[in-house]
Amino acid sequence: MDRLLRTLLFSSFLLLSLFATSSYAQTQNCSSFAFRNNQLFATCNPLPVLNSFLHWSYHPDNHTVDLAYRHRGVTDSDWVAWGLNIDGSRMIGAQCLVALRNSSGQIHAYTSPVTGYGTQLAQGELSFHVPRIEAEFTNNEFIIFATLVLPSGRTSFNQAWQNGGVSGQTLQIHAQSGDNMRSFGTVDFANGELGSDGGSSVTSRQRRRHVHGVLNAVSWGVLMPMGAVFARYLKVFKAANPAWFYLHVACQTSAYAVGVAGWGTGLKLGSDSTGIKFNTHRNIGITLFCLGTLQVFALLLRPKPDHKYRLYWNIYHHAIGYTVIILSIINVFEGFDALNGQKNWKRAYIGVIIAIGAIAVLLEAFTWFIVIKRKKSDSNKYPQNGTNGGNAYSNGTHQQQQA
């Protein structure tokens, strides 16, 4: 058993280190990118194609967005563009921000509405106000900075981005194959998510949110309570000893291992969304990780049943265990609120918790029935008041067996 626990602990921390390494490597290209003007953005998402990134901060009070569009792997004889399509999708109707190096050698940024396939991205006003736009070019990367006043009543839009060559002062058409024909999707400035043209996720960020939710709901929210049910109700049956203990340990250590993986995805999500905070969810998650780690290590220090400190260990183990279960269920619901719209998941989890609770209530009643029946049976077998020494001897034997 000690070898099993050590193996599970090592695997859990290995998973955590892998997540942390992945987090560090990926954030070097996105949320940890340092702009030369020291500007910070609340959200960053890598766009799925054309080596591009979109950073932004959404301000709900005035419905504006400060953004930076980065396009890597280009030269200063290229043009780059990013835009929103308010009423359509893809290119036609896109309201674009464009950057290139002009004839005087300066990096020039301007707005351009796309009205047809033959566009040369001529400068013009957009359908929404753009109070600020500027651009820079360094290390084969264009960066467009802009402030957008979003159309009222919505935060989710279709987006498109492109690049092409410049000949003289004429913008050449972009490539008609490969990634240049797949550079479109959706963006929601309020919740920080990107999607494909049909609205499905195309970035790893939303998938990580779902993986994070599933891992933690299954581990902390389901396996932990199940492990407690095994420990409390199975040990009343003599035939289940010591099977209940191994089931309890298997459930709790599995929950901890899966929970560490979920915690790792949470760290990655937090590092990718520096401006999006779910403080209650985060703080409870950190507390659960610490308490869960204490519980796992406490198994390695468990005194023998007849040890004088076993009573205190039991009190500690039960108190921490039930605290973890309560906080776990609370934090799962906090997570559902953070997912913002996953009502089916929430309903499914409520059903699971109700089922576990109902089973626990039934087992609690049945356990008390078994215990009371067993006490009555022992009382009839070993009566306390007797008329001969045989009864007294029997009573003493019974007391010795109980001890």
Side-chain angles (χ1 to χ4, degrees), residues 1 4-5 8 219 223-224 226-228 230-231 242-258 296 299:
M1 180 56 64
L4 173 62
L5 293 176
L8 287 172
S219 59
L223 289 177
M224 281 287 181
M226 285 179 58
F230 288 145
W244 69 266
F245 174 74
Y246 295 112
L247 285 172
H248 173 65
V249 171
C251 256
Q252 306 305 73
T253 53
S254 298
Y256 177 75
V258 177
V296 172
L299 289 175

Side-chain angles (χ1 to χ4, degrees), residues 97-116:
L97 313 177
V98 186
L100 52 79
R101 187 180 293 278
N102 61 22
S103 58
S104 61
Q106 302 297 314
I107 301 301
H108 179 50
Y110 64 92
T111 59
S112 175
V114 177
T115 57

Side-chain angles (χ1 to χ4, degrees), residues 35 39 41 53-55 66-71 79-83 96-100 107-110 130 132-137 141-147 162:
F35 293 96
Q39 190 168 355
F41 297 92
F53 303 85
L54 187 63
H55 306 245
D66 294 319
L67 64 82
Y69 168 69
R70 297 168 48 214
H71 197 123
W79 60 265
V80 301
W82 173 90
C96 294
L97 313 177
V98 186
L100 52 79
I107 301 301
H108 179 50
Y110 64 92
V130 182
R132 177 182 71 97
I133 181 172
E134 57 189 69
E136 64 181 44
F137 179 83
E141 180 178 50
F142 271 108
I143 305 178
I144 302 176
F145 299 95
T147 298
Q162 274 296 349

